[in-house]
Amino acid sequence: MQVLENISLKPYNTFGIDVKAKYFAELHSDDEIAAFFSGLKPEHLPFLVLGGGSNILFTKDFEGSVACIRNKGINKLIENDTHVFLKVAAGESWDDVVKYAVDHGWGGIENLSLIPGNAGTAPVQNIGAYGVEIKDVLYSVEVADVLARHYRAFRPADCEFGYRTSLFKKQVRNRLVITGICLRLEKNPVLKLDYGDIRKELEKSGVKVPTLSAVREIIIKIRSSKLPDPAVLGNAGSFFMNPVISADDYTRLIREFPNMPSFNSNDMVKVPGAWLIERCGFKGKRSGDAGVHATQPLVLVNHGNASGREILALADDIINSVREKFGITLETEVNVF
Ligand code: FAD
Ligand code: NAP
């Protein structure tokens, strides 16, 4: 393990923001993770754990230590008649894990195809797409508490999972380091096809009997057609969460905006943030190199050399406009540092 100094983080975040880390290391094994954190001295603090950098916005240099988690390994732990338990090192690419599961005929995560980032980061915001969240298939999360210096396995009930959130995104952010996860996958999966355009796109592609790999391919196709590829246009996916509002607020709003789309979310109502942002005139808008994506306005983009502060200023303008027009306060999904 090599600890480098004054390293640009531009290649390590999908927004492509050019800030520096005072100290930086890539950790390729559990031993390197343990050695790095036990060797941290007060002058190396604070620290930041980084995966694929696909859900982060840097607004300034990081005056501490950035640790990139790169440990690898996908191993079958147990298999019974119905399930396979898969142990995955945190540094594996999430989408490689999805492909591995689909190739083996194990179901549960195919709808989460093509989400960038590390497998170990997936529980941090309880990644979700097309009606599936990782919490649905998670058996446990292996965690190093680097301040208390002990390891522990968290079960889903311990993780405070919610809509794009968990315990790891809240108060213990950057105290608990996820070193691995264990997934409980289905050997006889029931495919989830009722969300959005999945069924329609399967039919359009001539798929009569959907399989895990057909679902994965269709989701990759839909996502690739709608979302900007970070390798081409810097972004961190949805910058904001879709707001979940009370039934009373919904009743008030639908009177004024009868075309407003919505989805039931327990006793609350989820409103697509993209619709709100578009109605405020921000779709495709650009302020310098900071911009709003032209087809998915929930995604903010870096057209070249935007700084994190410029992206954040655009986000603030959007939040203020949406609040003024709809009385809804958008919350940031991306982790801002
Ligand atoms: P990073 O950006 O590296 O880190 C995110 C946060 O987690 C940071 O606060 C970091 O400190 C912390 N962290 C990272 N690793 C660890 C660890 N090992 N232990 C503890 N904390 C850690 N998200 C969805 O939920 N659904 C989607 O459909 C989706 N689509 C996306 C599409 C695009 C084009 C992009 C760019 C992003 C998308 N995202 C989506 C967001 C993002 O990919 C996910 O949140 C992903 O899980 C982030 O992983 P990462 O390793 O890149 O995280
Ligand atoms: P979409 O399918 O056009 O849907 C727009 C919004 O409406 C979504 O945000 C979704 O909420 C909601 N929605 C649609 N159908 C729904 C249903 N049947 N039940 C409940 N809610 C429904 O969205 P999209 O932009 O193309 O994204 C497709 C999926 O990928 C979504 O699940 C989205 O969350 C996910 N995604 C996430 C990110 C990220 O960075 N977090 C980036 C891109 C895509 P939900 O978001 O709650 O699903």
Side-chain angles (χ1 to χ4, degrees), residues 183-201:
L183 302 172
R184 181 175 178 268
L185 300 173
E186 300 276 346
K187 287 172 73 176
N188 307 299
V190 178
L191 302 176
K192 295 205 168 99
L193 308 176
D194 292 328
Y195 189 103
D197 289 341
I198 300 180
R199 210 179 276 281
K200 198 174 92 192
E201 288 294 331

Side-chain angles (χ1 to χ4, degrees), residues 21-268:
K22 194 164 178 193
Y23 302 103
F24 176 88
E26 292 191 74
L27 310 175
H28 294 277
S29 65
D30 289 356
D31 286 349
E32 285 194 356
I33 294 173
F36 177 83
F37 286 105
S38 58
L40 283 180
K41 303 214 161 50
E43 63 267 30
H44 300 132
L45 299 174
F47 71 82
L48 169 68
V49 192
L50 202 57
S54 67
N55 202 18
I56 204 157
L57 177 70
F58 289 109
T59 57
K60 52 183 181 304
D61 289 343
F62 193 78
E63 300 294 341
S65 305
V66 172
C68 267
I69 304 298
R70 298 277 180 264
N71 57 337
K72 300 283 180 203
I74 306 178
N75 294 295
K76 188 167 73 176
L77 279 184
I78 306 170
E79 179 170 0
N80 59 27
D81 289 347
T82 54
H83 292 94
V84 166
F85 291 76
L86 206 61
K87 186 176 152 91
V88 179
E92 286 286 347
S93 141
W94 170 254
D95 194 52
D96 286 353
V97 178
V98 179
K99 182 173 184 315
Y100 184 94
V102 167
D103 287 348
H104 284 77
W106 302 329
I109 53 178
E110 57 284 355
N111 290 32
L112 301 177
S113 288
L114 211 66
I115 298 180
N118 279 5
T121 323
V124 172
Q125 75 158 14
N126 180 25
I127 57 165
Y130 298 96
V132 173
E133 293 178 327
I134 193 179
K135 75 168 174 49
D136 304 336
V137 294
L138 202 59
Y139 182 74
S140 62
V141 184
E142 289 157 29
V143 170
D145 184 333
V146 292
L147 295 182
R149 300 197 177 198
H150 66 76
Y151 284 83
R152 175 181 162 192
F154 280 60
R155 295 301 305 276
D158 307 323
C159 297
E160 298 176 20
F161 285 126
Y163 180 59
R164 305 290 188 267
T165 192
S166 77
L167 167 83
F168 309 109
K169 199 171 175 177
K170 294 186 282 192
Q171 68 270 30
V172 294
R173 184 159 98 159
N174 285 306
R175 170 174 167 175
L176 301 182
V177 179
I178 298 170
T179 57
I181 58 175
C182 181
L183 302 172
R184 181 175 178 268
L185 300 173
E186 300 276 346
K187 287 172 73 176
N188 307 299
V190 178
L191 302 176
K192 295 205 168 99
L193 308 176
D194 292 328
Y195 189 103
D197 289 341
I198 300 180
R199 210 179 276 281
K200 198 174 92 192
E201 288 294 331
L202 283 167
E203 277 165 22
K204 253 172 60 184
S205 299
V207 176
K208 295 216 165 54
V209 185
T211 58
L212 288 174
S213 52
V215 172
R216 172 166 163 79
E217 275 167 34
I218 283 299
I219 283 180
I220 290 176
K221 189 174 160 209
I222 302 173
R223 291 181 68 101
S224 308
S225 71
K226 275 185 159 182
L227 292 166
D229 176 356
V232 178
L233 185 61
N235 76 90
S238 302
F239 197 88
F240 306 102
M241 285 188 263
N242 290 301
V244 178
I245 60 175
S246 68
D248 286 351
D249 283 344
Y250 172 73
T251 308
R252 170 180 64 78
L253 281 166
I254 202 70
R255 259 190 237 124
E256 200 179 340
F257 304 100
N259 299 326
M260 185 176 78
S262 64
F263 299 93
N264 287 337
S265 180
N266 300 322
D267 292 341
M268 309 280 276

Side-chain angles (χ1 to χ4, degrees), residues 297-318:
L298 214 49
V299 177
L300 302 191
V301 297
N302 179 2
H303 286 286
N305 291 311
S307 68
R309 286 189 184 157
E310 285 167 328
I311 306 255
L312 204 55
L314 177 60
D316 283 342
D317 285 349
I318 293 171

